Amino acid sequence: MDMKTGKKGYLHGIPISVKENYYLEGYDCTGGMSIYLDDCVTEENTLIKILKKQGAIPFVRTNIPQSMMTYECSNPIYGQTKNPHDVTRGPGGSSGGEAALIAAKGSILGFGTDIGGSIRIPSHFCGVYGLKPTVGRISKKNMLPFQSGQTLVQAAAGPLASDMGGLVAVMKSLLVPAMFEQDPTCPPIEFRNEIFESKRPLRIGYFLDNGYITPVPACQRAVSLATEVLQTRGHTIVKFDPPDMYACFELFLLSTFGDGGESFIEALKDDLVDPALKLAHMGLILPRWLNLFLGWVLSKFGRDKMMYILSKSMRGPGSVGKYWKIAERNEAYKKQMLRRWRANKLDVLICPGFAFPAVRSGNVFNVMGGVTYTVLFNLLNYPTGSMPVTKVTCEDEANMADYPSKTAYEKAMKKDNVGSTGLPVNIQCAAQPYQEELVLRVMAELEQGLKAQN
Ligand SMILES: CCCCCCCCCCCCCCCCCCCCCC(=O)NCCO
């Protein structure tokens, strides 16, 4: 307690919502899987401990998809969460309950986790602010241990908020000596105000299309709008060529499904499998050859080789030796990206928040390829924020007439996009590892610039 101000800490009296996979003393922590039900947690999540010390008050736990490895926010324990902007659509996931609650004004600040986009996808679907930090910048101790032995592409804990002030306040209150004492694995880098408040003009890269799935017009327009605003603030904007997305998604899956889905099958073996996971579950339990054959058929009919890559990679690399090779390929991918980044002298990179706005409930599998927009920054382990920039307009919807419809994902996206007018659209902003303050600086400037325009 600060005797002068009477305040307990940086977040004195602020109510916070918390994703269900964070340990909260006295509650069970399930990830939507009944195997973890009624197993009361006796330890508190480290971030929650620090936040409480800073005066925050956890008041609600929020819903997730079963297993958290999809962005359809439903599970057989708590049911389905809907999108407050359109209840026929989902809020995204896996931190979908968080984003939906914040968008519905039931919370101003919450906490999620992100291994493939789980903070940023729901932020985009619900039009709220989210930050996926570099893995380890803030503690991830005392979470649901599901698949925590997989260390190639790890989940990061991070905040979601109703504005930039919320994200900044959280990072300032967590990047303090108390956290480094609680979790000595976090590098002791306190919040660097000098980076956040710097006025140095930046070189900002951007891309509109990742070369695999073309974002719908509203998602491309959001990036153009963001770069225009940032340019008027004196920054240099440069077009950037994103790296190979097929390799990215393949490496992501071979890493996160490195055990061939064994932990996934084990966790769900006596459970009801949520409809959103049925196909993935089937792909894991079928004989390998049959899964490969069906994946091949899907990719031929869907005219999209990613479908084959998906079905093959989710069965894992097959041996420890091959898994190590994946680790080497991940490092090579990061190195290649760093070379490109340096060649362009980038400070940050802006790109679509996702390939499309919130999808209709039950439709996530049909448009799964969109996840390449978020997975990229998990594979690279770049801190990445997501923030609302615009909403889908009637004109954006009309422009869908020219949208490609060659592959199954494109066709499904085109269909799903009908009636999307009014849905929020975010952009992502990424930087090199441990440059959270730079990401926040650019997002805060963009928020200010957008406000000045309206
Ligand atoms: C009948 C067999 C045919 C085979 C067809 C293959 C089906 C493939 C289904 C999809 C597999 C799952 C892919 C995973 C994609 C990643 C989605 C990422 C969502 C966000 C995850 C996240 O960040 N979670 C946070 C955890 O803390």
Side-chain angles (χ1 to χ4, degrees):
M1 170 84 75
D2 182 325
M3 298 312 270
K4 253 200 232 146
T5 60
K7 288 196 173 169
K8 199 172 167 190
Y10 207 85
L11 296 173
H12 183 87
I14 304 286
I16 55 168
S17 43
V18 186
K19 186 177 176 177
E20 202 258 11
N21 64 333
Y22 280 59
Y23 276 7
L24 273 193
E25 216 178 320
Y27 293 86
D28 48 9
C29 175
T30 69
M33 296 171 277
S34 67
I35 190 174
Y36 294 107
L37 259 180
D38 302 324
D39 195 2
C40 186
V41 167
T42 52
E43 254 182 309
E44 191 97 302
N45 172 273
T46 307
L47 292 184
I48 301 301
K49 276 190 208 164
I50 308 294
L51 291 162
K52 277 182 169 174
K53 273 198 182 135
Q54 294 279 24
I57 306 164
F59 76 104
V60 68
R61 305 175 76 215
T62 55
N63 204 18
I64 64 255
Q66 185 177 40
S67 85
M68 297 175 294
M69 273 312 268
T70 170
Y71 55 98
E72 184 89 61
C73 194
S74 77
N75 66 73
I77 301 176
Y78 306 109
Q80 188 178 37
T81 302
K82 298 186 175 182
N83 191 314
H85 296 282
D86 175 350
V87 291
T88 69
R89 297 175 187 268
S94 60
S95 315
E98 273 306 316
L101 189 66
I102 293 170
K105 306 208 184 315
S107 172
I108 53 168
L109 195 54
F111 288 83
T113 51
D114 188 319
I115 199 173
S118 278
I119 289 175
R120 291 158 293 146
I121 302 167
S123 295
H124 168 83
F125 279 18
C126 295
V128 305
Y129 295 73
L131 176 70
K132 175 201 80 68
T134 316
V135 172
R137 177 89 200 261
I138 57 174
S139 178
K140 50 188 287 251
K141 260 171 66 181
N142 297 339
M143 299 264 181
L144 182 72
F146 180 60
Q147 295 183 327
S148 58
Q150 186 284 106
T151 54
L152 291 192
V153 178
Q154 294 184 44
L160 293 95
S162 54
D163 62 11
M164 275 310 296
L167 297 186
V168 175
V170 162
M171 294 311 278
K172 283 187 174 173
S173 41
L174 288 174
L175 293 170
V176 293
M179 191 188 69
F180 312 130
E181 274 159 35
Q182 287 273 348
D183 186 350
T185 66
C186 296
I189 315 168
E190 290 188 37
F191 189 87
R192 291 162 299 180
N193 237 337
E194 65 281 12
I195 299 181
F196 178 63
E197 282 177 3
S198 165
K199 298 282 176 270
R200 175 176 73 88
L202 302 171
R203 264 179 84 83
I204 300 179
Y206 79 96
F207 65 87
L208 298 178
D209 188 328
N210 72 5
Y212 162 54
I213 277 198
T214 302
V216 300
C219 295
Q220 299 204 29
R221 186 173 57 76
V223 175
S224 304
L225 180 59
T227 50
E228 274 159 35
V229 169
L230 290 165
Q231 193 163 29
T232 59
R233 297 181 70 94
H235 302 299
T236 304
I237 307 296
V238 286
K239 195 164 182 299
F240 183 80
D241 250 350
D244 179 2
M245 267 328 122
Y246 292 94
C248 169
F249 204 21
E250 182 186 21
L251 290 172
F252 171 80
L253 289 165
L254 285 166
S255 302
T256 52
F257 286 84
D259 64 350
E262 210 177 295
S263 49
F264 198 90
I265 297 164
E266 179 62 25
L268 297 184
K269 83 170 181 294
D270 297 320
D271 211 345
L272 289 171
V273 177
D274 192 86
L277 279 184
K278 284 234 159 90
L279 197 71
H281 188 249
M282 203 201 297
L284 290 173
I285 56 176
L286 286 176
R288 202 180 175 103
W289 68 266
L290 188 52
N291 165 272
L292 282 187
F293 175 70
L294 291 173
W296 179 81
V297 171
L298 276 181
S299 75
K300 283 289 153 214
F301 280 100
R303 302 176 77 185
D304 186 340
K305 70 176 178 182
M306 194 66 102
M307 289 181 163
Y308 180 65
I309 294 176
L310 238 165
S311 68
K312 189 171 161 218
S313 313
M314 68 189 288
R315 296 299 289 256
S319 72
V320 174
K322 288 182 183 152
Y323 193 57
W324 285 3
K325 290 276 179 240
I326 299 307
E328 286 169 20
R329 282 180 61 197
N330 287 355
E331 290 314 307
Y333 194 89
K334 287 181 192 171
K335 230 175 174 172
Q336 185 207 14
M337 177 69 176
L338 182 58
R339 268 200 300 271
R340 246 181 234 204
W341 186 283
R342 284 188 172 148
N344 284 281
K345 299 190 176 65
L346 295 191
D347 290 297
V348 298
L349 179 60
I350 305 267
C351 71
F354 211 59
F356 37 83
V359 294
R360 299 215 185 265
S361 296
N363 214 10
V364 159
F365 175 76
N366 301 332
V367 292
M368 185 53 89
V371 84
T372 46
Y373 279 87
T374 49
V375 156
L376 171 68
F377 300 114
N378 297 90
L379 188 71
L380 296 167
N381 194 19
Y382 286 7
T384 309
S386 175
M387 64 177 283
V389 161
T390 185
K391 288 191 166 148
V392 182
T393 61
C394 301
E395 209 184 341
D396 291 324
E397 250 198 271
N399 287 340
M400 279 300 280
D402 301 326
Y403 187 78
S405 50
K406 198 177 117 227
T407 71
Y409 285 151
E410 286 166 350
K411 282 185 188 141
M413 275 162 62
K414 209 164 180 170
K415 207 165 144 201
D416 195 277
N417 203 264
V418 175
S420 62
T421 297
L423 290 177
V425 184
N426 281 23
I427 55 97
Q428 290 184 91
C429 173
Q432 285 296 310
Y434 297 102
Q435 294 299 329
E436 281 75 8
E437 294 88 341
L438 187 55
V439 169
L440 292 172
R441 173 195 160 181
V442 174
M443 289 168 74
E445 280 194 31
L446 182 54
E447 186 190 44
Q448 264 178 30
L450 288 166
K451 270 190 194 149
Q453 265 193 354
N454 295 327

